[in-house]
Amino acid sequence: MRKSAAWWSLAAMMLGGCGQGGGPAASIGLIGGESGTELAAEQVIHIGNLADPQTLDPHRNQGVSEANIDRDLFEGLVNEAPNGDLIPGVAESWEISEDGKTYTFHLRADARWSNGDPVTAEDFVYSLRRSADPATLSRYSFVLAPIVNAEEITAGDVPPSELGVRALDAHTLEIRLDNATPYFLGLLAHSATYPVHRPTVEQFGDEFTNPGNLVSNGAYVLAEWVVQSHVKLVRNPLYWDNESTTIDEVYYYATENQAAELQRFRAGGLDMTYTIPKAQLPWIRENLADQLVIAPYLGTYYYGLNLTKPPFKDAPALRRALALAIDRDIITQQVTAAGEIPAYGWIPPNVANYESQQMPEAAWTQEERETEAKRLYAQAGYSAANPLRVELLYNTQDDHKRIAVAVAAMWKQVLGVETTLVNQEWKVYLDTRNQRKTQVFRAGWIGDYNDAYSFAEVQHSASGLNNTGYANPEYDHLLELASAEQDLAKRAEYLQEAERVLLDDMPLIPIYYYVTARMVKPWVRGYEANIMDHFHTKDLSILAH
């Protein structure tokens, strides 16, 4: 038995409340009638969705729960099939110039806003300019960087009207790029590129997303938003593909308490959960295995370190010591235990056209890492007599708490670090993190498109989501070289070198690569797990049961 087992047992006692599923699962009757395809008379779906959304403005949202809802409310030029493949959205076709720098999109003539107005090329011109405009306060405007003048606009150096987009006619849109960008079509499925309805934005301002105000162009419209309870969407009869939509009403529930979410699922109050309480995974596997979906997910769970102030500013040895003192095998095998992969790099494996990089210490034993961690900790000026005292911030969720408790115990055991855990509700947490009123904060980054750049650009010094304050000119320069490179192999080399620079500087501590783990009732038809964990309710239906 390893020496860490004893302290882990103590940590497990501290965690408490792991709980059991609470008795065997009830049996389920015939699904889909005799044919197996018979639909339920009532097409209503109830979905667990983690935190209450901070906003439904697609240009200002920054969390997964908001993006899930916006994916039903809005549709971009490009959409995604259930398996994650890119398919036409509002644009029914497009051409790409020979040099890869000019995209011409042909919009559907029957695309409509939920108030009946046509969706036009001018709507996308207005919306892309708004998304890039610093006045919008978007934290995702950096993803528009490939578009001509986008970076100058987000920096406030030129007006939004200079963005490289224009309407050639009512249904033809041109977007010009600085360089050929292999992931650009995938980017157009991101909410930062969704259209918004200009008249209602200008009429209602920040309240344009309120129920009764919001005009959207997706398969659903907003009917109700009860804060800290649920968001209700109803079918948009004017959506161009409404005939292919089956579910009439969608309820997204705030479900930050994972144990309560599972109980609600078991009681029939949810058809799908956002995630599962990992402490109950053994019980779930024993009793509800046929309703458990676990699949690869393009994301990295990590701890960010605030580099703008002590103790982590100009303290690379301390940052690395904390990273090496974490036993990721214990985290992934005993705390999460759903198939997560220990992470020693920033960009997950299986990203298209990319070879994931790792810290050199990934090849070491944990004992060797801890020995080096102690050396670096002492080098940074800390000791038993002068321990590091640090705050670790996490947002409300059982698993975040369990991981934080485990990491704090590891830091204490290996280095003697005294960690204070700070828990905040999602919106407060975002505000604290965005203002860098933190020391260590838990976070996860989910790729917005299947390309290494989706991870790399977050750590660029100009990124609106660079919450660590990391700024290394060498790193930024490598990203700029990658952006301008058309040869995929050479581009990958730039990005891989950038990741090595990042891991050497250690502004963040990768802990594990995600998997999707959720419960899905057997009567939900059309759900397919995909690496982006994107699904659209319009692709789902409810079978008779």
Side-chain angles (χ1 to χ4, degrees):
M1 180 180 290
R2 293 182 48 192
K3 64 179 182 179
S4 55
W7 70 258
W8 170 243
S9 297
L10 290 173
M13 291 175 63
M14 292 166 57
L15 291 166
C18 291
Q20 300 299 314
S27 62
I28 295 174
L30 189 64
I31 304 296
E34 294 296 334
S35 68
T37 60
E38 181 183 334
L39 293 176
E42 187 179 63
Q43 289 295 314
V44 180
I45 191 166
H46 302 268
I47 302 172
N49 195 42
L50 193 62
D52 193 50
Q54 184 184 39
T55 175
L56 294 179
D57 182 340
H59 301 160
R60 297 181 67 179
N61 76 38
Q62 54 179 314
V64 172
S65 61
E66 293 99 336
N68 289 341
I69 299 172
D70 278 346
R71 210 170 288 125
D72 279 348
L73 289 172
F74 299 93
E75 183 175 66
L77 293 164
V78 174
N79 210 332
E80 298 161 302
N83 66 358
D85 288 349
L86 297 177
I87 58 175
V90 174
E92 58 184 355
S93 64
W94 52 82
E95 295 101 35
I96 306 172
S97 65
E98 200 166 307
D99 64 2
K101 295 183 180 181
T102 302
Y103 286 65
T104 305
F105 295 92
H106 304 282
L107 277 56
R108 300 176 188 279
D110 57 350
R112 291 282 184 277
W113 292 99
S114 55
N115 70 347
D117 290 350
V119 179
T120 68
E122 282 292 350
D123 288 325
F124 280 94
V125 172
Y126 167 76
S127 299
L128 288 167
R129 288 174 177 172
R130 177 181 185 269
S131 189
D133 188 344
T136 303
L137 301 178
S138 169
R139 290 193 168 271
Y140 261 108
S141 57
F142 66 90
V143 303
L144 303 176
I147 303 176
V148 167
N149 289 331
E151 290 183 297
E152 291 80 0
I153 293 167
T154 57
D157 296 333
V158 300
S161 59
E162 296 299 313
L163 189 66
V165 296
R166 63 172 178 157
L168 302 182
D169 60 42
H171 293 98
T172 309
L173 177 74
E174 180 187 86
I175 301 180
R176 291 177 293 113
L177 309 183
D178 286 319
N179 299 290
T181 305
Y183 61 85
F184 187 65
L185 284 177
L187 177 62
L188 295 178
H190 189 276
S191 63
T193 68
Y194 287 168
V196 292
H197 187 249
R198 181 172 187 169
T200 48
V201 172
E202 293 181 344
Q203 179 180 356
F204 297 110
D206 289 344
E207 297 182 349
F208 88 95
T209 57
N210 288 357
N213 297 344
L214 183 61
V215 172
S216 56
N217 75 320
Y220 293 89
V221 295
L222 178 63
E224 192 171 270
W225 182 357
V226 180
V227 175
Q228 290 299 338
S229 174
H230 67 272
V231 171
K232 176 185 177 183
L233 313 182
V234 298
R235 194 161 156 177
N236 176 9
L238 298 180
Y239 177 57
W240 66 270
D241 197 25
N242 181 49
E243 288 187 2
S244 301
T245 304
T246 303
I247 289 181
D248 296 316
E249 297 180 0
V250 192
Y251 288 82
Y252 283 101
Y253 296 94
T255 52
E256 289 181 294
N257 185 318
Q258 297 157 302
E261 183 184 37
L262 178 61
Q263 288 298 327
R264 196 169 186 167
F265 177 83
R266 292 187 60 202
L270 293 176
D271 298 297
M272 299 171 60
T273 66
Y274 176 82
T275 185
I276 60 171
K278 302 295 174 51
Q280 296 187 34
L281 186 56
W283 182 90
I284 293 171
R285 282 183 161 140
E286 182 178 349
N287 294 279
L288 294 172
D290 60 335
Q291 298 172 50
L292 172 64
V293 177
I294 295 179
Y297 188 22
L298 195 67
T300 303
Y301 190 102
Y302 68 98
Y303 279 176
L305 307 173
N306 186 348
L307 271 56
T308 66
K309 60 180 70 172
F312 299 115
K313 183 179 180 180
D314 301 325
L318 177 62
R319 303 196 293 263
R320 200 162 204 87
L322 294 185
L324 294 177
I326 296 175
D327 189 331
R328 293 158 177 79
D329 289 336
I330 287 180
I331 298 289
T332 55
Q333 293 173 17
Q334 299 185 35
V335 182
T336 59
E340 293 85 357
I341 302 171
Y344 295 91
W346 171 233
I347 301 175
N350 302 318
V351 172
N353 303 310
Y354 189 77
E355 182 178 342
S356 182
Q357 303 297 295
Q358 292 194 318
M359 299 162 55
E361 298 90 339
W364 298 4
T365 66
Q366 184 57 32
E367 185 176 2
E368 290 172 330
R369 294 186 201 112
E370 291 176 7
T371 299
E372 177 66 1
K374 291 172 183 174
R375 187 188 72 79
L376 293 171
Y377 187 70
Q379 178 182 317
Y382 295 94
S383 63
N386 178 37
L388 171 69
R389 294 180 173 86
V390 70
E391 284 190 353
L392 195 170
L393 171 69
Y394 65 96
N395 57 296
T396 304
Q397 195 191 67
D398 293 344
D399 284 341
H400 299 331
K401 177 181 178 181
R402 299 174 73 239
I403 293 168
V405 169
V407 168
M410 292 171 182
W411 285 345
K412 179 67 175 177
Q413 171 72 20
V414 177
L415 302 174
V417 174
E418 297 181 4
T419 306
T420 301
L421 302 185
V422 180
N423 169 221
Q424 293 181 345
E425 179 271 331
W426 176 243
K427 296 176 187 176
V428 179
Y429 158 86
L430 284 178
D431 187 55
T432 302
R433 193 184 71 177
N434 292 341
Q435 296 187 47
R436 293 178 181 154
K437 296 179 179 177
T438 58
Q439 291 183 318
V440 183
F441 60 90
R442 97 84 213 166
W445 183 252
I446 310 303
D448 293 310
Y449 42 88
N450 189 357
D451 190 281
Y453 203 81
S454 178
F455 287 80
E457 66 181 341
V458 180
Q459 303 305 326
H460 190 284
S461 60
S463 166
L465 290 174
N466 177 355
N467 294 305
T468 65
Y470 178 57
N472 182 330
E474 181 185 7
Y475 182 85
D476 290 354
H477 180 60
L478 287 164
L479 264 57
E480 287 149 13
L481 290 174
S483 297
E485 182 57 58
Q486 298 187 37
D487 181 273
L488 290 180
K490 187 66 177 173
R491 179 175 180 271
E493 289 178 11
Y494 288 136
L495 291 173
Q496 287 160 3
E497 177 59 22
E499 186 177 9
R500 289 192 289 271
V501 169
L502 180 83
L503 295 174
D504 189 51
D505 290 338
M506 199 60 71
L508 51 83
I509 302 175
I511 296 179
Y512 62 76
Y513 302 121
Y514 278 95
V515 294
T516 298
R518 67 161 46 93
M519 307 301 296
V520 181
K521 293 291 188 186
W523 51 75
V524 177
R525 186 175 70 173
Y527 174 75
E528 290 186 37
N530 59 69
I531 195 167
M532 303 295 294
D533 195 32
H534 290 177
F535 65 86
H536 300 252
T537 304
K538 70 182 181 62
D539 297 323
L540 308 179
S541 58
I542 303 296
L543 293 170
H545 56 278

